[in-house]
Amino acid sequence: PSLVELAQELVLVLDHFKINQLICLGEGLGAKLAARFAMRNPSRCQGVAVIHPTGSTASFMTSFKDKFVNLLSYKSQ
């Protein structure tokens, strides 16, 4: 399914659980979905926070390397 279709499905889920508003959080593809949902349904969103809402995702190795480097820098503090 496309991101537009997924955003529409999210509306159905929220309606089913009687959730009127939410705060959207997302990273990568989730960020794109959160942004699309918020743009199409602004009255349903209290806020939106997105990280890396890019068209392409990092490879597994790039993502692993970034997390490993961040862990090492955190431990050295």
Side-chain angles (χ1 to χ4, degrees):
S2 71
L3 288 178
V4 172
E5 292 170 333
L6 288 174
Q8 291 169 342
E9 293 292 324
L10 182 53
V11 170
L12 296 175
V13 171
L14 294 173
D15 289 345
H16 175 78
F17 289 107
K18 297 179 180 19
I19 299 171
N20 294 324
Q21 290 187 317
L22 70 154
I23 298 171
C24 295
L25 307 170
E27 191 271 331
L29 184 58
K32 287 180 73 170
L33 179 59
R36 291 241 182 208
F37 175 81
M39 287 188 293
R40 295 180 68 87
N41 305 281
S43 65
R44 305 285 305 251
C45 296
Q46 290 184 350
V48 181
V50 296
I51 301 170
H52 300 295
T54 59
S56 63
T57 60
S59 70
F60 172 77
M61 288 307 292
T62 302
S63 178
F64 179 77
K65 180 192 77 139
D66 290 344
K67 289 177 183 181
F68 187 72
V69 168
N70 287 338
L71 178 66
L72 289 178
S73 65
Y74 175 76
K75 287 192 173 209
S76 67
Q77 294 177 356

